[in-house]
Structures are given as C-alpha cells and as structure tokens.
Amino acid sequence: MNLSVPRRAAALSLTAALTLAGFTGASANATPAATLAAPDIPVANVKQHLADLQSIANANGGNRAHGRTGYKASIDFVKAKLDAAGYTTTIQQFTYNGTTGYNLIADWPGGDPNQVLMAGAHLDSVSSGAGINDNGSGSAAILETALAVSRAGLQPTKHLRFGWWGAEELGLVGSKYYVNNLPTTERSKISGYLNFDMIGSPNPGYFVYDDDPAIEQTFKDYFAGLGVPTEIETEGDGRSDHASFKNVGIPVGGLFTGASRVKTSAQVQKWGGTATAFDRCYHSSCDTTANINDTALDRNSDAVAHAIWTLSAGTTTPPPGPVFENTADVSIPDNGAAVTSTVNVTGVTGNAPATLKVGVDIIHTWRGDLVVDLVAPDGSVYNLKPFSSSDSADNVQTTYTVNASSEVANGAWKLRVQDKAAYDTGYINSFKLTF
Ligand code: TRP
Ligand code: ZN
Ligand code: CA
C-alpha cells in the first residue's frame, strides 16, 4: 500500500470513534489474577505458638492474666512474629483495676482502607492458669493465619487487620477500649469482625456464631466441605469480644468449641467425645497445652484462614520468577517480512506459568502497522497485538500476560513482529520474559 497520507487522515477519525467506544487496545490481552483458595494452616505451627504461650506462663507465675508479667510477655511474643512478617503493629495501652493493659493491633499493608476485615482474639488468661484453650487457641490460630497471609503475599481487596485483646476475662475491657477509641468514621470502615475465643476445647463441639449472615455462612460452608456438622453458638451470646463490636453496629461472627457446658448425648452422637463439659479445665489451672483437642484446633484454624481469604476477596501475586531478556535491536522492514528477537530460556522446571509476563519494547511510529506475536519453543503462536489501521500512536511499550501453561518453559522463545503497512518504520528495542 502507498496510501500513507489519505490513510492517516481517514484513520484519525476512526481512532476517535474507537476511543469513544471504549476501545482499550494493548490491554485487551490482560488476564486478571485468580482468586485463590486459603492455604491449609499447619496445626503444628499453631501448637508451637501454644507451647510458647505455655512457656511464657510457666516463666511468669503460671498465668498470662491482665496486669501480670505473663500478659505483657505474651503481647511481646506475638508482636515480634508479626513485625518479622511485615505487619504494621501498634500496642494500645489502657488502665484497668489500677494496672496497665495492652491491646495489639496488626495491619497488613494494602487493601481498601474503607473496607476493613478484622479478626481478633483475647490474649489474656484468667489468673488461675495459663489459658491455653481460653484463649491461647484463638490467639494462636489468628497469629498463624496472619503469618500465612504474609507467606502467600496475599493482596486482598479489603484491608486486613488483626487484634489481640487485653483483659477480656475482666469484662471485655480491651476490646471495648479499642472500639470506644475508634472515631466513628473508622468504625464505619470495618466491614466485619471475626472473633475466636476457645477453639480447641478438649471435648469439642463445632459452634458458629449466629450473627452476620454472610460471615456465618462462610464458616458453615467450610465445615460442610469437611463433612463436619455445626450448631449455632448458644453458651452465652455477648460473652466475648465480638460483643464490643456488635454493640456499635459492626457485623460480627466467630467460632467456638465450648466451655463449661456439658455435651449432650445428641452432640456426642454428632461429634464424638463424652457427655461431659466441652472444656472441663475452663478457667482452671489445668487449661494447659494438654487441654487441647488437636483435630478441633486444626479444623478451626483452617476455618479462620478460609474466612479471611474468602471475606477479603484475596488475590495473590506469586513472587516473580526468573527473567530472560534480549536487548539487541532488530530493525523491522517497512511493510515487509516478519522479524524476530529470541530469548533462550534455561533452568526453569516444567511448563511456563499461566501468567507469563511478556515485556515488549518496540520503537515504531504509527504502531497500528505492526502485528506482534509471541512464539513458543514448539512454534505455538500467541498473538499479542493485532494489526490496526487506526492506531496512530508511537511505540509498543507494554507487558502482556499470556497463559502459557501448556508450553514447556525451556527453549527458544521468539517475539515476532511484522510491519504490514507502508511508510512508518522502527525496530524491536527489547523483549523480556518473566516466569
Ligand atoms: N472467654 C469467654 C468467657 O469466659 C469464653 C466463653 C464462654 C465464650 N462462652 C462463650 C466465648 C461463648 C464465645 C462464645 O466468658
Ligand atoms: Zn475466653
Ligand atoms: Ca510501516
């Protein structure tokens, strides 16, 4: 074709029309990141946190109660793990019964600050024991879930916040203090609060709080998937920190495996165990690491992670893999044959990812002239950019995401470029693959 001037004039008005219609050109091949399932929370890690809390109690007069040294040591222990995992942590101090109490708040950077999903657990014990089921269990499960968020590099739509409350055993003191000191605008940003208080009872039931329907359903779905029946929690609504949030209108939910109430024979049929208290060591000195049912702790910890992942609508960005780049210039003949730039990929096991990043840098006036393809080592062709008579802009400088999961990674990958119209010219500046 040698119609360069009239073609341009005609094409300009067409470009305007396509722009008005919402045409987006190069980004048409972009693939959204998939929503990923929550990981299995390693119960061994949760149990290690419980063993550490037990050691803290042992070293501090046998408890982790408000106003005792074992409480502050527990706060410092949890905070250090979260700091190392990339959380922004804040210790909030309050005074109760003439002694200083502490809440620990941990924010995971990112997410929508106007939609906060929060999970919490009280970290204090009663003074009579180490408080491993009540409430090392909930504290350890949300700690390990927070660490799993960090390991996964979770990038949720919502902002994630975790809280460990002080002085719950003295009347929900820490969580009330937190909520009362949150400005109204900040309260309204909390889209949900999930509470975990006693989730490893030695003779467990599987109870779900009957509060916000969406939160409740998220937990029920998880247990249904395991084939584990649940019941609505009735051993004292308002007896834990979710009440502080519920009282100011924040949607709440949570899990519970039972305290001093006795398991009925129908519940024994359903869940096994014995027709005795769900937790015979409730608020006693025998609430130690021996006072935990590992299966209940495991299932509930996984349910915590499932709810956090699901309710925050998380997506993950796996860390980028190896990068291969060819920066040698390749000139593109005007209205001529296709040319290629090659990168030789080595040392990558298995297939290419579903999110292969193809970095393209082509210097060329009136880029609509160009057809750009990615050619896999076996010759499979992935079109990155079609010909467009109307796209008069300069240069193709973008990163395409290609589902290359059916291609073996290792081998010679080519960026193939052909100029299909006369007059404008240019060259491949660089071609880069990120696995
Ligand atoms: N820490 C709570 C308490 O001592 C335990 C508890 C009892 C609980 N009943 C509950 C927690 C119901 C949640 C839901 O009161
Ligand atoms: Zn408790
Ligand atoms: Ca040309």
Side-chain angles (χ1 to χ4, degrees), residues 315-339:
T315 59
T316 58
T317 306
V323 177
F324 301 86
E325 185 169 22
N326 185 341
T327 56
D329 292 359
V330 179
S331 68
I332 306 165
D334 190 25
N335 197 17
V339 293

Side-chain angles (χ1 to χ4, degrees), residues 122 124 126 134-135 168-169 172 195-198 207 209 233-242 255-260 282-283:
H122 75 86
D124 64 315
V126 291
D134 182 14
N135 184 34
E168 185 271 356
E169 299 290 3
L172 319 181
N195 194 62
F196 304 99
D197 185 358
M198 304 183 74
F207 297 102
Y209 299 2
E233 189 285 306
T234 58
E235 199 177 343
D237 204 20
R239 278 182 65 185
S240 191
D241 298 296
H242 58 293
L255 299 174
F256 179 57
T257 52
S260 53
Y282 176 62
H283 285 185

Side-chain angles (χ1 to χ4, degrees), residues 41-395:
I41 297 299
V43 72
N45 293 8
V46 183
K47 289 189 71 177
Q48 184 59 54
H49 302 323
L50 294 180
D52 290 338
L53 291 173
Q54 178 76 59
S55 300
I56 288 169
N58 294 350
N60 289 278
N63 69 70
R64 301 180 303 100
H66 170 73
R68 310 293 186 90
T69 52
Y71 184 70
K72 181 58 164 49
S74 300
I75 284 278
D76 293 342
F77 162 74
V78 175
K79 182 178 186 295
K81 302 244 176 225
L82 295 162
D83 287 339
Y87 281 80
T88 304
T89 58
T90 310
I91 291 180
Q92 181 181 47
Q93 290 195 17
F94 57 91
T95 304
Y96 187 74
N97 273 357
T99 42
T100 304
Y102 307 89
N103 293 326
L104 172 64
I105 307 298
D107 284 276
W108 180 237
D112 182 351
N114 294 314
Q115 297 183 75
V116 179
L117 178 66
M118 210 173 165
H122 75 86
L123 186 57
D124 64 315
S125 70
V126 291
S127 56
S128 48
I132 297 304
N133 185 37
D134 182 14
N135 184 34
S137 62
S139 294
I142 67 167
L143 171 58
E144 190 57 27
T145 300
L147 299 181
V149 164
S150 169
R151 288 192 293 264
L154 193 66
Q155 298 193 321
T157 303
K158 290 184 185 157
H159 177 79
L160 287 180
R161 184 178 299 155
F162 296 86
W164 286 262
W165 311 121
E168 185 271 356
E169 299 290 3
L170 304 175
L172 319 181
V173 176
S175 58
K176 276 185 197 161
Y177 185 86
Y178 175 76
V179 169
N180 288 342
N181 285 279
L182 263 190
T184 318
T185 51
E186 294 303 313
R187 286 182 193 168
S188 67
K189 294 176 184 171
I190 302 179
S191 56
Y193 171 76
L194 312 178
N195 194 62
F196 304 99
D197 185 358
M198 304 183 74
I199 59 170
S201 303
N203 180 33
Y206 293 90
F207 297 102
V208 177
Y209 299 2
D210 180 22
D211 267 292
D212 179 71
I215 297 173
E216 182 181 339
Q217 196 58 48
T218 303
F219 287 126
K220 285 178 170 173
D221 287 348
Y222 186 75
F223 284 99
L226 295 181
V228 173
T230 60
E231 288 185 14
I232 294 305
E233 189 285 306
T234 58
E235 199 177 343
D237 204 20
R239 278 182 65 185
S240 191
D241 298 296
H242 58 293
S244 307
F245 290 80
K246 186 177 162 143
N247 284 342
V248 297
I250 295 169
V252 304
L255 299 174
F256 179 57
T257 52
S260 53
R261 188 180 280 181
V262 172
K263 203 183 250 190
T264 66
S265 58
Q267 289 171 328
V268 172
Q269 289 288 312
K270 184 182 284 191
W271 291 317
T274 57
T276 57
F278 291 104
D279 182 357
R280 65 175 193 89
C281 292
Y282 176 62
H283 285 185
S284 320
S285 61
C286 62
D287 187 6
T288 66
T289 49
N291 190 44
I292 289 289
N293 180 288
D294 289 358
T295 302
L297 186 70
D298 190 10
R299 289 171 173 169
N300 281 294
S301 300
D302 291 340
V304 173
H306 171 78
I308 295 285
W309 256 252
T310 307
L311 295 169
S312 69
T315 59
T316 58
T317 306
V323 177
F324 301 86
E325 185 169 22
N326 185 341
T327 56
D329 292 359
V330 179
S331 68
I332 306 165
D334 190 25
N335 197 17
V339 293
T340 60
S341 172
T342 302
V343 297
N344 288 301
V345 174
T346 56
V348 180
T349 314
N351 280 13
T355 55
L356 179 65
K357 301 282 185 237
V358 184
V360 175
D361 183 351
I362 300 170
I363 307 301
H364 196 286
T365 50
W366 202 296
R367 66 185 177 194
D369 287 6
L370 302 175
V371 176
V372 182
D373 296 314
L374 175 71
V375 185
D378 72 353
S380 308
V381 176
Y382 297 82
N383 181 250
L384 302 175
K385 181 201 160 309
F387 175 80
S388 158
S389 62
S390 61
D391 185 0
S392 63
D394 288 345
N395 307 335

